[in-house]
Amino acid sequence: MNNRHHKTLELDKILALLCEHTSCTDTKTLAKTLTPATSFRQASALLALTVEANGLSNRYGTPSIALPPCTELLERAKVGAALGLKELLDIARLLTTARTLQNWKRQTGGSAVGALDHLFEMLTSDKTLEDDLSAAILSEDELADRASPELYDIRRKIRGAHAKARDILDKITRSSTYAKFLQEQLVTMRGGRFVVPVRSEYKNEIKGLVHDTSSSGATLFIEPMSVVEQNNLIRELEGAERQEITRILYEFSGRVGEQADALLGGYEAIIELDLIFAKSRLADRMKASIPTLTESGPTHLKKARHPLIAEDKIVPIDVMVGGAFDTLVITGPNTGGKTVALKTLGLLSLMAYCGLMLPVADDSSVCFCTQVLSDIGDEQSIEQSLSTFSGHMTNIVSILEKADKQSLVLIDELGAGTDPVEGAALAVAIIDKLRKAGAKIAATTHYAEIKMYALQTPGVENASCEFDVATLRPTYRLLIGTPGRSNAFAISERLGLPTSVIEAAKEGVSRENARFEDVVSGLEQTRKQLEDEKELVEKYRKEAAEAREQAEKSQKSLEDQKELELRKAREEARSLVENVKFQSGRLLDELEALKKQKDKADFAASVADIRTTFKSYLGDLEKQADPITQRDKDDNYRLPRPLKSGDTVKLVEFGSQGTVISPPDANGYLQVQAGIIKTKVHQDNLRLIEDKKTTLSGGAVSTKQAVKNVKRDATSSLDLRGMLSDEALIDLDQFLDSAILSGMTSVTIIHGKGTGALRKAVQQRLKQHKGVKSFRAGAYGEGDAGVTIAELK
């Protein structure tokens, strides 16, 4: 931040906040050195990028971007240098990040061309190289055995040689012949070679090479001659292993070098995207909105908030310059917010030119300026022998030399620090000079002469920072169109200055100044009266709107209630008709059965029973037809699940059971078979008779409940570490069955690295299992070779 004007307006502090939202080291450096655009077209493009990123982030979430610096290592790969394991892992992360961003962009969909598209098009991904690097490099210090067939063979031979050497030495340590010669019965290593600890007094009893001595001298670490050959073989194989690792690293480095230019372009695009999304996150933090950036016209900030002032202390202001007036003169008492208003105007303009969204209300606009020039604060310099006035004048001279039609000039306490008469005259002359240069100007002052100049000069407007004399506190509101008062007499009187002193001071004020202050005071009173009346009108308008809205809600509620009652009546009538049909059917069935019994001896008794039953049916129908009669229902009952064909149900109104033969229609009615009678019933009048039980190992539970239990108990990972292969495979089979039953698509099996025997057994079983679609070793950050990820069918 070399621009003194930008630092004065605290743009560097905003960029520090921006750095907090970046994810990459290189992005932080880019954010710290961010400068405002030098053209309207560039500023508009920067703002469009931020706006699009913010919109996409709000709909689809912010993509994850976190990368170490890659420029230097890509340049080295480009010239043929070998990269280390950590550097190749960084390249793998770069490829993964590029692919993730491409997938994220595809997820956003849409065919319209966006401002960010050119950056996403620069991304370079290579799934083959990414997978090869991830599979070959287990960590920053370890290359996988399968990185090449040669490396696998060498390491297999090393393990074999190690095993043979340990077998020889184990025989020595367990031998009763050598037991008394050894300090401890263990095998250790010195200088990469297997040795045994021998007591110093028996050093000649075990023939071999002495590699080390204990600190006390009581123990010698001797390599027995019988293992020298195996140790030599191990050293030779380790040398071959190092050479093969070097070859593999050169091979990978060459593949990276072939794509270095494309990868560099993709990396720069990722850094640029990280910066743009950081701007979006900063906008969310500041609750910012999108300003309209214009090439000409006014800068009008509505409800603008200085982003460095705490949210609970800031008072939003409306500030405007340009358009009807090119110069804004802000007056008012000290500590009233004049300087904050200037800084808010300047800082928010610079932020817009940097492509940042602004903490302002909607419909705010910012006019593009190529430079923002400011003279704010105490410019006194002891080293340069400058007084406060001299320091300000030095800055203003520089501003007068640079100002043009594309400049926004901000001056605090214009003309202060010298004789008031001369200072006021100088201030007016400076404003005139800047206006002739075509600059937009905002300045603060205490001079009445400048207030009068603003009242009398077209294109110059007064503004004031409101001050409540009753409480002796500023409100920090900026009022455009009204000159401010110093309120020195009122403040002094409230603080206890004798009335005689205040009256004497008033007599010393010129008649013209006194009359001007009276006019300003009258304007202030009129403004407050108009504001009070405006608030009252707004209050009445809101009350009327609320009353109208309440009336509309009441009318709609009555209409909804009417429709509900009509629908309920139709449903009850339909239910009654269906019930009559059902009862009539039953009666006809009984009459048919009675006809068949007419020749029987008990025919008369049967007729009497039928007559009684018929009267009972009629009574039931009369009760159902009576709207006052309440039917016996369990209002709290809810069907445990939607009904389907084949379900056994109880018909509440009839007290009988039936079978569902059709699912419910849109109104909730369905067909039920009760004996030989089919009837249409509303599902609210049915009770589901639960499914038959299915016996499982845990007792009698329903099949559906059993599946739920399996789903609940299933987990997505299985830890087999420490198990023998046979035991682990049993657990693995049970785990896979449970995962498939629960509907999982991917599971993780943790088997550890160790000797690799358990991993081999697990992967062999996965290869044979019919429910497994594919599997792979864990990637860097997932557990590396210690886990296997399986995709299920």
Side-chain angles (χ1 to χ4, degrees):
M1 184 58 60
N2 297 322
N3 190 306
R4 181 181 59 81
H5 301 289
H6 296 174
K7 194 166 186 179
T8 298
L9 294 170
E10 301 178 292
L11 179 61
D12 56 324
K13 295 180 180 179
I14 298 298
L15 298 184
L17 292 179
L18 180 61
C19 287
E20 295 177 8
H21 295 280
T22 59
S23 303
C24 307
T25 303
D26 284 349
T27 313
K28 293 184 187 298
T29 303
L30 188 61
K32 287 180 182 178
T33 57
L34 191 64
T35 56
T38 56
S39 70
F40 171 74
R41 184 175 180 179
Q42 183 186 11
S44 298
L46 290 174
L47 185 58
L49 291 171
T50 306
V51 170
E52 182 173 328
N54 190 255
L56 291 174
S57 294
N58 289 335
R59 289 196 297 273
Y60 303 102
T62 303
S64 176
I65 303 174
L67 281 177
C70 293
T71 303
E72 186 269 338
L73 61 91
L74 284 171
E75 293 288 355
R76 285 174 45 219
K78 185 177 177 180
V79 298
L83 303 179
L85 291 175
K86 180 183 181 305
E87 293 170 323
L88 288 172
L89 278 178
D90 290 344
I91 296 297
R93 288 175 64 186
L94 171 60
L95 292 169
T96 302
T97 301
R99 180 171 52 81
T100 302
L101 285 171
Q102 289 173 334
N103 292 338
W104 181 87
K105 186 62 172 68
R106 280 192 289 270
Q107 170 197 334
T108 63
S111 57
V113 177
L116 295 171
D117 285 359
H118 72 285
L119 291 173
F120 283 99
E121 289 169 359
M122 292 173 62
L123 299 176
T124 298
S125 60
D126 185 336
K127 191 67 166 61
T128 302
L129 179 57
E130 177 190 345
D131 290 344
D132 289 347
L133 288 170
S134 299
I137 304 174
L138 300 180
S139 68
E140 297 179 2
D141 305 309
E142 185 180 0
L143 199 63
D145 293 352
R146 298 290 182 179
S148 75
E150 293 80 5
L151 183 62
Y152 178 82
D153 186 56
I154 291 170
R155 288 184 173 174
R156 180 181 59 78
K157 291 178 179 178
I158 289 175
R159 288 191 289 269
H162 272 282
K164 288 182 181 179
R166 290 194 67 92
D167 285 345
I168 295 171
L169 292 173
D170 285 343
K171 290 178 181 177
I172 293 175
T173 57
R174 291 197 298 267
S175 171
S176 57
T177 304
Y178 295 102
K180 63 179 180 180
F181 304 147
L182 301 178
Q183 192 70 262
E184 292 180 84
Q185 290 183 328
L186 58 82
V187 178
T188 184
M189 295 191 78
R190 288 293 186 274
R193 301 178 77 88
F194 287 108
V195 296
V196 292
V198 180
R199 296 179 181 178
S200 58
E201 60 267 27
Y202 297 115
K203 63 182 179 180
N204 295 324
E205 299 299 329
I206 296 181
K207 303 300 181 183
L209 305 175
V210 178
H211 286 278
D212 199 1
T213 307
S214 67
S215 57
S216 64
T219 304
L220 301 178
F221 295 94
I222 297 177
E223 177 187 6
M225 295 304 296
S226 55
V227 296
V228 169
E229 182 178 351
Q230 287 300 321
N231 276 336
N232 289 340
L233 177 59
I234 291 171
R235 297 300 288 271
E236 291 174 7
L237 290 171
E238 288 175 345
E241 179 188 29
R242 287 191 294 272
Q243 291 179 359
E244 179 60 17
I245 289 174
T246 301
R247 187 196 67 78
I248 293 170
L249 295 181
Y250 265 107
E251 181 181 333
F252 276 129
S253 300
R255 291 173 65 181
V256 172
E258 291 172 359
Q259 303 185 56
D261 289 332
L263 290 173
L264 275 169
Y267 175 72
E268 291 171 358
I270 290 174
I271 296 303
E272 187 69 25
L273 286 169
D274 187 28
L275 179 62
I276 293 168
F277 282 108
K279 291 179 181 179
S280 170
R281 288 189 286 269
L282 180 60
D284 292 338
R285 171 176 170 177
M286 295 189 303
K287 299 178 182 176
S289 63
I290 308 165
T292 300
L293 196 60
T294 62
E295 198 166 5
S296 60
T299 291
H300 189 184
L301 303 177
K302 299 178 181 181
K303 298 189 181 302
R305 309 181 304 276
H306 195 291
L308 299 177
I309 299 178
E311 188 175 351
D312 58 339
K313 296 181 180 179
I314 186 66
V315 176
I317 62 170
D318 289 353
V319 59
M320 180 172 65
V321 64
F325 54 90
D326 55 37
T327 302
L328 186 66
V329 176
I330 305 174
T331 53
N334 290 326
T335 71
K338 301 190 301 298
T339 303
V340 171
L342 276 188
K343 284 192 170 185
T344 301
L345 174 61
L347 178 58
L348 266 55
S349 296
L350 290 173
M351 288 171 61
Y353 307 155
C354 289
L356 294 169
M357 294 167 62
L358 306 181
V360 294
D362 293 339
D363 299 325
S364 295
S365 62
V366 177
C367 180
F368 177 76
C369 295
T370 56
Q371 53 184 349
V372 178
L373 308 172
S374 63
D375 178 57
I376 299 174
D378 190 355
E379 298 292 338
Q380 184 172 357
S381 173
I382 296 176
E383 292 182 0
Q384 300 179 20
S385 300
L386 296 176
S387 65
T388 299
F389 177 75
S390 299
H392 281 297
M393 283 300 108
T394 301
N395 285 338
I396 290 174
V397 168
S398 174
I399 290 172
L400 289 173
E401 292 174 350
K402 297 177 182 177
D404 56 21
K405 293 180 180 180
Q406 290 291 308
S407 300
L408 173 63
V409 179
L410 309 172
I411 304 177
D412 193 24
E413 299 295 351
L414 180 59
T418 187
D419 177 75
V421 176
E422 294 180 352
L426 273 173
V428 171
I430 290 168
I431 292 175
D432 280 338
K433 176 68 174 174
L434 290 171
R435 294 188 68 209
K436 288 178 182 178
K440 295 180 177 64
I441 308 157
T444 67
T445 184
H446 284 286
Y447 294 143
E449 291 85 351
I450 302 180
K451 302 177 194 177
M452 187 64 71
Y453 167 78
L455 287 172
Q456 297 172 346
T457 308
V460 182
E461 185 63 85
N462 271 304
S464 61
C465 289
E466 189 179 51
F467 189 87
D468 189 343
V469 179
T471 60
L472 296 181
R473 291 180 180 276
T475 66
Y476 300 107
R477 292 176 59 202
L478 184 66
L479 309 172
I480 295 178
T482 304
R485 301 179 62 197
S486 65
N487 296 301
F489 293 154
I491 294 173
S492 300
E493 184 175 6
R494 290 276 296 179
L495 293 176
L497 192 66
T499 304
S500 58
V501 176
I502 293 173
E503 292 299 326
K506 286 182 178 179
E507 290 176 3
V509 177
S510 68
R511 185 171 299 175
E512 290 78 8
N513 282 343
R515 189 160 53 247
F516 177 75
E517 289 294 326
D518 290 340
V519 171
V520 171
S521 178
L523 287 173
E524 179 69 9
Q525 290 177 1
T526 302
R527 181 193 63 78
K528 287 186 176 180
Q529 183 179 356
L530 287 173
E531 281 196 352
D532 291 342
E533 291 177 358
K534 181 180 177 182
E535 288 180 2
L536 189 60
V537 169
E538 183 65 19
K539 177 184 176 183
Y540 290 152
R541 187 192 67 78
K542 286 183 178 179
E543 289 177 354
E546 289 174 359
R548 184 175 65 254
E549 183 180 356
Q550 187 63 35
E552 290 174 352
K553 285 182 178 178
S554 298
Q555 182 179 359
K556 187 176 185 303
S557 177
L558 288 173
E559 291 175 354
D560 292 344
Q561 186 66 25
K562 175 184 175 182
E563 179 63 27
L564 181 63
E565 292 297 331
L566 287 173
R567 186 164 60 250
K568 185 177 178 182
R570 284 194 293 268
E571 289 179 356
E572 289 180 353
R574 184 173 183 175
S575 177
L576 181 61
V577 169
E578 291 294 333
N579 194 11
V580 169
K581 288 169 63 178
F582 178 77
Q583 300 287 16
S584 300
R586 290 180 63 181
L587 182 60
L588 291 172
D589 289 343
E590 293 182 7
L591 289 173
E592 185 67 25
L594 185 62
K595 189 196 307 188
K596 295 177 181 179
Q597 299 175 8
K598 63 181 180 177
D599 297 329
K600 293 185 178 181
D602 58 349
F603 178 70
S606 298
V607 170
D609 290 341
I610 291 296
R611 184 179 291 111
T612 303
T613 304
F614 179 67
K615 289 181 179 179
S616 176
Y617 286 167
L618 290 178
D620 290 342
L621 290 176
E622 288 175 356
K623 289 180 182 179
Q624 292 175 17
D626 184 359
I628 300 177
T629 302
Q630 299 296 321
R631 284 171 285 179
D632 184 17
K633 283 189 178 182
D634 180 7
D635 293 334
N636 295 323
Y637 179 81
R638 296 289 183 272
L639 287 169
R641 60 171 174 78
L643 296 175
K644 63 180 186 297
S645 299
D647 282 342
T648 301
V649 294
K650 178 181 179 181
L651 289 77
V652 176
E653 295 183 351
F654 309 139
S656 59
Q657 289 188 8
T659 303
V660 176
I661 58 176
S662 70
D665 61 18
N667 296 320
Y669 285 90
L670 43 77
Q671 288 279 353
V672 176
Q673 179 87 40
I676 63 172
I677 302 298
K678 291 183 182 178
T679 183
K680 204 166 190 178
V681 186
H682 196 276
Q683 60 185 4
D684 289 345
N685 296 327
L686 298 176
R687 302 293 182 263
L688 176 65
I689 296 178
E690 298 296 334
D691 298 340
K692 295 180 180 180
K693 305 296 181 178
T694 300
T695 303
L696 300 178
S697 59
V701 296
S702 68
T703 303
K704 185 172 294 185
Q705 185 61 38
V707 172
K708 287 183 179 179
N709 291 341
V710 171
K711 289 186 177 181
R712 184 178 64 245
D713 295 337
T715 59
S716 61
S717 64
L718 175 65
D719 192 344
L720 300 177
R721 289 175 294 184
M723 294 186 180
L724 297 176
S725 294
D726 292 339
E727 177 188 5
L729 293 179
I730 294 173
D731 284 1
L732 176 61
D733 288 339
Q734 294 177 349
F735 170 70
L736 291 174
D737 292 341
S738 176
I740 293 169
L741 187 58
S742 66
M744 294 184 185
T745 59
S746 176
V747 294
T748 301
I749 299 98
I750 306 169
H751 43 62
K753 298 178 181 178
T755 63
L758 184 55
R759 178 176 68 240
K760 183 177 180 181
V762 166
Q763 294 181 352
Q764 183 64 30
R765 179 55 57 89
L766 291 175
K767 188 182 298 182
Q768 299 169 351
H769 200 286
K770 294 181 179 180
V772 176
K773 179 165 61 176
S774 63
F775 63 90
R776 62 176 176 83
Y780 178 62
E782 292 181 325
D784 302 328
V787 303
T788 295
I789 312 297
E791 301 293 329
L792 305 181
K793 295 181 179 178

